[in-house]
Amino acid sequence: MTVLWTADELIEATGGRPLGTMPDAVLGISIDTRSLVPGDAFFAIKGDTMDGHDFATAAIKAGARLLVVAEGKLPALGRLSAPMIVVPDVLAALEKTGVAARARAQAKIIAVTGSAGKTSTKEALRHALSAVGKVHASAASFNNHWGVPLTLARMHADCDYAIFEIGMNHEGEIRPLVKLVRPHVAIVTMVGAAHLGHFTSLDDIAKAKAEIFEGVFPGGAALVNRDDERWPLLARLAAEAGVSNVFGFGEDENAVYRLTNVALHADHSLISATIAGREIAARISVPGRHVVQNALAVLGAADLVGADVEKVALALGTLVAEAGRGRRHVLRHPRGPVTLIDESYNANPASMRAAIALLEATPVAGEGRRIAVLGDMLELGSHSAALHSELADVIAATRTDVVLLAGPEMKALAGALPEGTNFEYRSGAEELKPLLIDTVGPGDVVMIKSSKGIGFSRLVEALVNQFPAGAGNAAPS
Ligand SMILES: Nc1ncnc2c1ncn2[C@@H]1O[C@H](COP(=O)(O)OP(=O)(O)OP(=O)(O)O)[C@@H](O)[C@H]1O
Ligand SMILES: [Mg+2]
């Protein structure tokens, strides 16, 4: 492990007051003792339910070299004799450390927002740009008021590329975060009904996403889904934010990063694209039309940061789907293999459509069937019932043979499915589990998708335990 920050640098960045014998340097930054690595500095952030100061002793036990704590909490920390930097506000100190990291960075910085596909695109960028340089990127979906400054503060001075996921539930959340990140390239993957609960329309969502353009580094670029209905609005807002380089990616003929040909296969896609006037062919080793769209954003961003696009395109051939985001398992059912597509990480109308299309594109074997196992899409507010029932048309237009539904919101879809649809509804994931295990048979393709809160990852676990799997990217042949 190499030095991330010297203690002097951290004191200067946070503007804090050192207390005790400072170490020379720290190797990382942590805000959670469960994932703390020896050598880290522990920032005692106060979250919604927990206060990091309550974990100060645990942090030292886990190997934290120094603690960043709030002045007001000092009396409560009692006789703790660890080295500390004392600040008025720990989250503000983390932000300041992030600002210092950004100021010293030589890296090309890319920020990703959108209603779906932020993490998938961020991870595809991490993977592909690793072929051409040292990459730093957000862990998991660390895209909020603590995740973004934490990711910044963790950025080493010598990385070549850094990728930040920026998310939001409300208007006004992206603006302060992107002003910390100051990206050279700001990507909007797509605009759709996610977290709609706090918004009245998709235009309002687009406007909130467009805040990302307000932090673009001078001379930087906006990279926006050209196929999205809200491209004109987003392009206008980017220009209004002072971004003069606004580029589109997609199959639209006006896209600068344009898909010219695509073949979607069960376990990969082949694409041809014009990337800033150059013809690029690529094999993308994760299937799905939405993955192709994310890959175009990757190629566009790679071009905009001056990376070798040919090498980046080649690296798309070794992409691996993230757990819960399209990862495949081949289950060993006693009577023959079953393909399981794990989409249990989250769901909104756009990603539901993408996943149903993925199921449609995946061939069954022999007598096998396509089984869609769908749970509630959360955070859709008053639009929820309508957005759930609308999926009936999506399903009816595909060769989905069996539909298994669970969750209070999915009742609306159960009521809307056309007569003759082979479907079952249960109240929750636990209630659906035995039926799912009974239903699955040899040759089937099963796609499991819901918002995380509904717990459909337990259904994935149940199937994998029942029919011990060989995880992989392949469909049964
Ligand atoms: N470009 C896309 N368009 C539509 N759906 C997509 C796209 N990319 C990924 N998805 C779908 O969205 C799901 C979630 O993807 P991902 O985790 O990348 O989204 P996210 O924007 O990071 O979500 P979160 O807001 O939870 O952080 C995937 O499993 C896939 O089904
Ligand atoms: Mg995410």
Side-chain angles (χ1 to χ4, degrees):
M1 287 291 271
T2 52
V3 168
L4 177 62
W5 295 104
T6 66
D8 288 343
E9 285 169 340
L10 264 191
I11 292 163
E12 192 186 327
T14 59
R17 174 167 67 87
L19 204 63
T21 312
M22 286 288 124
D24 290 342
V26 299
L27 308 180
I29 288 184
S30 169
I31 61 165
D32 185 334
T33 53
R34 291 166 300 181
S35 51
L36 192 147
V37 178
D40 280 355
F42 178 71
F43 280 62
I45 300 278
K46 195 175 167 343
D48 293 336
T49 51
M50 312 264 225
D51 185 339
H53 294 90
D54 297 336
F55 297 88
T57 310
I60 296 297
K61 267 207 193 118
R65 272 194 201 164
L66 82 85
L67 309 178
V68 179
V69 299
E71 191 78 60
K73 295 281 179 178
L74 213 45
L77 291 175
R79 290 194 303 278
L80 198 70
S81 64
M84 295 188 229
I85 297 177
V86 187
V87 296
D89 180 292
V90 181
L91 182 59
L94 185 64
E95 287 168 1
K96 287 179 180 173
T97 308
V99 168
R102 178 65 185 88
R104 73 179 181 179
Q106 299 299 310
K108 289 291 185 185
I109 312 275
I110 301 170
V112 185
T113 195
S115 300
K118 295 182 292 296
T119 300
S120 308
T121 303
K122 182 247 313 172
E123 289 302 326
L125 278 164
R126 184 207 297 271
H127 176 81
L129 288 173
S130 292
V132 290
K134 181 176 172 190
V135 181
H136 174 70
S138 316
S141 282
F142 283 10
N143 63 26
N144 62 5
H145 64 285
W146 56 260
V148 172
L150 176 63
T151 305
L152 266 174
R154 285 173 165 176
M155 177 166 61
H156 279 270
D158 67 343
C159 62
D160 301 303
Y161 305 100
I163 306 137
F164 295 84
E165 175 168 341
I166 305 186
M168 62 105 193
N169 295 308
H170 301 91
E171 185 235 310
E173 283 177 354
I174 289 179
R175 185 174 297 117
L177 298 178
V178 75
K179 287 187 175 170
L180 298 173
V181 172
R182 294 195 299 145
H184 298 102
V185 180
I187 300 177
V188 180
T189 59
M190 53 98 54
V191 174
H195 314 300
L196 191 58
H198 303 290
F199 290 91
T200 49
S201 73
L202 288 182
D203 278 2
D204 284 349
I205 293 184
K207 285 178 195 157
K209 302 279 178 217
E211 291 172 20
I212 198 170
F213 305 133
E214 296 176 33
V216 169
F217 197 74
L223 180 57
V224 179
N225 190 334
R226 191 65 182 73
D227 302 332
D228 198 285
E229 259 182 68
R230 279 161 191 80
W231 154 266
L233 174 61
L234 289 165
R236 178 166 64 74
L237 293 171
E240 280 175 18
V243 181
S244 45
N245 306 312
V246 183
F247 301 114
F249 65 89
E251 62 185 328
D252 189 288
E253 59 179 24
N254 295 308
V256 173
Y257 301 108
R258 185 158 86 94
L259 184 70
T260 51
N261 215 337
V262 59
L264 301 172
H265 297 284
D267 61 355
H268 69 281
S269 302
L270 299 174
I271 65 164
S272 306
T274 310
I275 302 301
R278 217 152 23 120
E279 295 306 314
I280 297 279
R283 178 181 193 282
I284 307 167
S285 54
V286 176
R289 179 61 182 82
H290 58 294
V291 180
V292 169
Q293 199 72 0
N294 298 343
L296 289 172
V298 170
L299 294 171
D303 178 58
L304 289 170
V305 297
D308 182 333
V309 176
E310 303 272 352
K311 282 190 184 155
V312 167
L314 194 62
L316 293 172
T318 51
L319 201 59
V320 178
E322 300 291 300
R325 298 181 185 83
R327 185 170 291 177
R328 288 176 183 230
H329 302 262
V330 179
L331 305 176
R332 303 207 191 289
H333 190 279
R335 288 181 287 121
V338 172
T339 299
L340 169 62
I341 306 173
D342 174 9
E343 280 276 351
S344 62
Y345 171 73
N346 78 5
N348 60 45
S351 68
M352 270 292 185
R353 283 173 165 75
I356 293 166
L358 192 58
L359 176 62
E360 165 88 355
T362 310
V364 298
E367 301 293 295
R369 302 148 306 161
R370 291 189 181 80
I371 305 177
V373 186
L374 310 180
D376 289 0
M377 305 180 285
L378 300 178
E379 293 190 61
L380 296 176
S382 59
H383 307 267
S384 183
L387 290 168
H388 281 82
S389 356
E390 276 172 21
L391 293 177
D393 293 340
V394 180
I395 291 169
T398 64
R399 293 168 294 164
T400 305
D401 302 295
V402 182
V403 183
L404 302 180
L405 305 172
E409 302 297 316
M410 272 299 169
K411 223 176 203 156
L413 175 55
L417 285 169
E419 211 160 307
T421 310
N422 181 357
F423 82 95
E424 291 285 343
Y425 171 84
R426 296 290 182 273
S427 53
E430 280 310 311
E431 291 74 14
L432 189 62
K433 199 191 283 180
L435 177 67
L436 172 63
I437 290 173
D438 271 1
T439 303
V440 167
D444 288 349
V445 182
V446 184
M447 188 278 290
I448 297 184
K449 187 162 188 74
S450 74
S451 281
K452 197 157 52 173
I454 299 300
F456 271 28
S457 57
R458 291 203 298 274
L459 296 178
V460 172
E461 268 165 42
L463 281 183
V464 169
N465 289 338
Q466 186 78 20
F467 309 115
N473 266 334
S477 46

